[in-house]
Amino acid sequence: MELLLLLAVCGALVYAQGLVLGKGSLRGVKVSRRFSEEACYAGDRLEIVETIENAKGLPVPWLRLETMLPASIVFRGRGDTSVSRGRIYQNHTSLFTLQPRVKIVRTHQTTCVSRGVFVMETASLTGGDLFSIHTPSITLSLPHKLTVYPAPMEESVMPDSWRSWQGELEVRRWIVEDPFVVSGTRAYLPGDAFNRIDWKASARSLELQVRRHGHTADPRAMILLNIEESEMMWDRVTRPGDMETTISCAASLAAGMLGRGLSAGFAHNAVVSRYSDDTGRVEFGSGSGKLDETLASMAAIEPRIRMPFYELLRREAELELSDGMDYLLVTAFRSDRIMEAAALLEQSGHRVAFVEPPVRTKGGRRS
């Protein structure tokens, strides 16, 4: 009889703690999550900070926070978390025990191993009592967008064609005069055009003076990226590693040009991530802000073809831009159609240079 009474008392206590601690375990619990960066490069380290607060006067025996995150975010392990990884996504779980009126801040050290645009929207929060009799669960809205830029390629492995173009640019930049840049005046010499005479300077010096032109300080270059593996490719990339190498090569071109004060633009022939507002084309500009915009466009590239590369070249030729510029074509191969479309750009007054990323290729031809 005493044993039955003891069992009844224990059962009542277990049931009571379930009502008190379990049924209302999520009441007064607040959760927030932030990332240390809104954008970073592939290979960079990133901190994810979770803050959990229990505002009520009762403890929470256990609390589980589950989040679906992209698989490209790799956690550097700790014992109070678990990660179930898939090819595209991973399920990250954190466990907590909360005392009354306490706030816990937990920092996870991660590494972003690949580029992309990632959106994390919700998380699942589950609480319970000591014996998990009551385990209420809710879905939390924890929106965050993370942009991971492609890691630029090392200069030592960049194609020779890139270095050759750089040398040619320097020659054109400082030898060819720009009629729109005036750096001063000089004495008139036989053969100087009369429309270069500066009459005000001539009146001051009592002898003919002509305007001395400077050199082009802001040449423009457009980077066109081809993610096709061969001329026969029509939809999805089958060698993603080669595509990432090609994108990294284009990222190095953009960083090199914009870092030297040049004006650069960017366009590609790939499908754009649905999480990005990018259109597949970045207009000309200069400075660090333009580099971020260009790298964000590269981050949004999906491994699918939006149009053939030769079609992208034809559309560029049809823009009928008023002045000639440099086109850098980053492509692993050249086909007859690509060469014909590149010729259209040259006929429009532009200069065209091919930059071949260090990848394997089949179909078409390399330079």
Side-chain angles (χ1 to χ4, degrees), residues 19 21 23 40 48 53 102 106 115 155 181 187 194 234 238 264 271 289 314 355:
L19 291 177
L21 299 179
K23 200 166 186 179
C40 64
I48 302 178
E53 180 180 3
V102 71
R106 182 174 292 173
R115 61 155 195 97
E155 185 67 27
V181 178
F194 284 104
W234 62 276
T238 58
V271 171
R314 288 175 181 173
V355 177

Side-chain angles (χ1 to χ4, degrees), residues 157-168:
V157 297
M158 287 291 289
D160 292 337
S161 51
W162 160 239
R163 285 185 279 271
S164 298
W165 179 84
Q166 285 180 301
E168 293 173 2

Side-chain angles (χ1 to χ4, degrees), residues 177-184 196 211-218:
E177 289 187 340
D178 188 338
F180 298 102
V181 178
V182 178
S183 60
R196 294 183 61 178
R211 287 183 292 272
R212 183 171 57 234
H213 295 293
H215 304 284
T216 301
D218 189 23

